[in-house]
Amino acid sequence: MTVDDWIAQLTTSEEEARQAAVETLVATGRSAIPALLGELCTTDSESVATACIQALDRLGPLIHEPVLRALSGFHTEAATEPMSPTESRLCRLLGISHIHDAVVYAKDGFSANFWVRKQVADDIGCHGIPDYGFVLAVLLGDSNGAVCHAAAKSFAAVGRPLVPMLQQIRRSALPTRRAALEVLATIGWDTIDSTDLMLLTRLMNAEIARELPSIPSWTSCLWWALPTEDQAAVLDAFGLSDPIPATAAMGAAVARKNSGLLYASAQPDQVYVSPALDGWTLVFGDPISQYPRDENRIRRAREDDYFTFFYADEPEEERAAWLEQHARPSRKERSVELSARFGAAHWYKVVDAYDWGGWCIAENGEIKRLAHQGDGVSDLDLDSDHDPHPSEHGLRAESVSEWLSTHGFAPEMWDEISDEILQRTLGKPPDDQNAEWDAAWAKFQQHTGIPDEMTASLIAERTSIGPGGLGPHTRVTGQGVIALTEHGRQGGGHRGVLRLRTDE
């Protein structure tokens, strides 16, 4: 029998025969949809319409695009107009209350202008309308990347009400099944089904087993270094929970997200805790919410001259954020506390894109060295309350021109070499440019004796573990994990799309 024959059998009065037709049409799949939609929109029989809706509903995400195309051909004057029987049936199929907005979205969703299609996705997400998830499902597979991204973002904005639809898409053979998995991960890792979780776990474990020791290269994220192999103690000290084994690439992604979250008003949901590397465990991120909150600190902050003068006319939201930032121990106090517990506690942050950097070295409950750095080495402020640390020996704490001038060389000497390299390498691949810069700098150092610049990365390599000091010789104990902060637990748990490999 053909599809049309099975459609005709839906009109029989025998329930068993009608259900047999429904089962066959569902098993036929995509090719049965046009005939089912045609019958739904034209039949005079409500029982036949119900059978069509039953079959189409069971075909799940396969019907989204055909239904949307059908809607794009409708004409409606206003949302207040009474709906026709066909429109009412389509509303039943789609689980929506009125057809008007769906028709508008359908027409714009098939616009030749990608910007119009993107606006459809943005609008659904902005208004948080789960009724129109089927529109987002179609736009998720759009030919334009900006539209796909907008649809994924709006799926995540609407969130958990659309999880069943996304799970259906993931279980289908549609091209959007991978995008659906990424949206599910964005909403929450608990929305990913067991089969996918098992596969992801296998991939993670395989990658962890083969990767060389490394730490995130996104070093503008503040990271802590503690001389311990007791990862459980580190998790406890930072108030972290629900650790999940993670590859270095996943850790780098979390570090990237945490790079600007250094204040009470912007706290990380997750942090990456490294395996023990030569006896040091690193924590990428600064979960300030774990610091104990003290109302006495807020009272003192309110009385502070800085607050009363500079925040007198600021909006209440700004005033509250500043006070909240001062309601907990400072990072310096936190370093003292952690060093008393672990014997030592360091934090480092590399200067990046005009953002501050620096480092702190604490041992046995006492600060040994504290440094703050602005845009470059010339902005380096070494705390005069503490003696120079041995790790600083042989490193330069002034700019190249200042050092050259102090040591009898022309201050512009390196600038002239730099200009010549820039002109010679213009248009070359970045790797070739960097190779020439490195070779020229090595030669320049040999000629002048100028030391390397004092940076957080170099101090880290000399005092604990730094990005450039790892390799096959590094002793690795345990495995890295991504763990939840208090802020992350309050937000519903692990979520986010993270790369498993650095070469993806």
Side-chain angles (χ1 to χ4, degrees):
M1 294 175 66
T2 67
V3 169
D4 288 340
D5 292 331
W6 290 111
I7 291 289
Q9 191 164 312
L10 293 177
T11 64
T12 181
S13 59
E14 297 180 10
E15 182 64 23
E16 186 175 339
R18 182 181 296 166
Q19 286 303 312
V22 169
E23 294 296 331
T24 301
L25 289 165
V26 171
T28 302
R30 190 192 299 268
S31 60
I33 294 174
L36 282 165
L37 280 175
E39 187 68 18
L40 176 66
C41 293
T42 58
T43 184
D44 294 327
S45 168
E46 284 304 313
S47 61
V48 172
T50 298
C52 290
I53 290 173
Q54 182 184 1
L56 288 165
D57 184 63
R58 288 176 57 188
L59 287 169
L62 293 178
I63 72 168
H64 292 152
E65 184 172 355
V67 170
L68 200 65
R69 287 197 180 277
L71 288 174
S72 68
F74 275 60
H75 177 72
T76 57
E77 294 295 337
T80 55
E81 287 185 347
M83 290 189 292
S84 69
T86 296
E87 291 172 340
S88 296
R89 292 167 186 170
L90 286 170
C91 283
R92 286 171 55 198
L93 173 64
L94 297 170
I96 59 180
S97 59
H98 203 281
I99 204 73
H100 179 269
D101 288 344
V103 171
V104 174
Y105 282 138
K107 291 180 182 295
D108 288 346
F110 288 110
S111 169
N113 186 334
F114 85 90
W115 186 252
V116 174
R117 305 197 302 274
K118 179 179 180 299
Q119 286 297 108
V120 170
D122 287 338
D123 188 65
I124 295 172
C126 180
H127 292 94
I129 314 172
D131 285 355
Y132 301 110
F134 71 96
V135 181
L136 295 178
V138 176
L139 296 177
L140 194 62
D142 197 272
S143 59
N144 183 277
V147 179
C148 297
H149 178 74
K153 186 176 178 181
S154 289
F155 255 128
V158 177
R160 292 186 180 269
L162 292 180
V163 164
M165 178 181 289
L166 288 162
Q167 290 173 334
Q168 280 190 320
I169 296 171
R170 178 59 188 166
R171 290 191 294 268
S172 74
L174 291 170
T176 50
R177 60 190 308 271
R178 175 165 180 165
L181 177 60
E182 292 182 357
V183 177
L184 287 168
T186 302
I187 294 171
W189 294 359
D190 62 308
T191 66
I192 301 172
D193 70 27
S194 57
T195 302
D196 280 330
L197 285 175
M198 187 181 300
L199 176 60
L200 290 169
T201 300
R202 288 176 181 171
L203 290 172
M204 283 189 293
N205 289 338
E207 180 64 18
I208 289 170
R210 77 173 182 85
E211 64 185 4
L212 292 173
S214 65
I215 61 177
S217 59
W218 194 258
T219 45
S220 63
C221 172
L222 183 144
W223 80 93
W224 292 86
L226 304 169
T228 180
E229 297 183 358
D230 189 346
Q231 191 177 80
V234 173
L235 294 173
D236 178 69
F238 284 88
L240 305 174
S241 67
D242 304 278
I244 292 178
T247 66
M250 293 168 67
V254 170
R256 179 181 291 270
K257 288 197 299 183
N258 291 347
S259 61
L261 305 180
L262 299 173
Y263 305 101
S265 57
Q267 301 171 30
D269 292 330
Q270 302 163 305
V271 299
Y272 173 61
V273 181
S274 76
L277 303 166
D278 285 340
W280 288 83
T281 298
L282 312 182
V283 179
F284 287 83
D286 198 20
I288 294 173
S289 60
Q290 171 60 15
Y291 298 8
R293 194 176 188 278
D294 187 347
E295 292 297 330
N296 289 326
R297 290 177 179 272
I298 293 184
R299 178 180 53 77
R300 291 194 296 269
R302 283 186 181 279
E303 297 169 355
D304 188 278
D305 290 342
Y306 180 89
F307 178 77
T308 56
F309 182 79
F310 287 102
Y311 279 82
D313 298 323
E314 292 297 320
E316 183 57 33
E317 184 178 322
E318 295 286 337
R319 293 163 58 85
W322 191 90
L323 290 171
E324 183 63 25
Q325 183 180 332
H326 289 77
R328 306 172 195 277
S330 67
R331 200 168 283 119
K332 181 178 178 180
E333 292 171 303
R334 182 71 166 144
S335 301
V336 169
E337 174 198 334
L338 290 170
S339 72
R341 179 171 179 175
F342 292 98
H346 307 172
W347 63 257
Y348 310 95
K349 184 182 181 300
V350 174
V351 174
D352 179 76
Y354 304 101
D355 195 12
W356 67 275
W359 57 91
C360 178
I361 300 171
E363 297 174 0
N364 300 314
E366 182 182 353
I367 299 293
K368 295 297 183 181
R369 192 59 153 165
L370 185 61
H372 188 278
Q373 191 170 7
D375 187 29
V377 69
S378 58
D379 299 316
L380 182 60
D381 179 18
L382 295 165
D383 191 343
S384 59
D385 291 341
H386 305 98
D387 294 332
H389 194 268
S391 61
E392 301 167 17
H393 179 71
L395 296 178
R396 170 172 49 87
E398 64 265 18
S399 67
V400 173
S401 59
E402 289 173 330
W403 188 93
L404 290 173
S405 179
T406 302
H407 291 79
F409 296 96
E412 66 278 3
M413 187 176 178
W414 175 247
D415 291 337
E416 292 174 353
I417 295 173
S418 298
D419 290 342
E420 192 274 328
I421 295 173
L422 184 61
Q423 293 178 15
R424 189 172 67 249
T425 61
L426 197 62
K428 288 188 177 181
D431 288 346
D432 292 346
Q433 291 180 337
N434 292 336
E436 291 215 30
W437 279 94
D438 291 343
W441 177 252
K443 185 176 179 181
F444 184 72
Q445 282 189 301
Q446 286 183 343
H447 175 64
T448 61
I450 186 171
D452 287 326
E453 177 182 327
M454 192 182 298
T455 64
S457 293
L458 278 178
I459 296 296
E461 289 172 20
R462 292 179 172 206
T463 57
S464 56
I465 290 291
L470 302 177
H473 61 279
T474 304
R475 180 172 57 88
V476 181
T477 306
Q479 59 187 12
V481 297
I482 291 170
L484 288 176
T485 66
E486 174 63 24
H487 195 260
R489 290 189 290 274
Q490 292 175 355
H494 286 291
R495 62 178 182 268
V497 178
L498 307 176
R499 287 187 171 185
L500 298 183
R501 303 187 183 96
T502 55
D503 55 355
E504 282 188 338

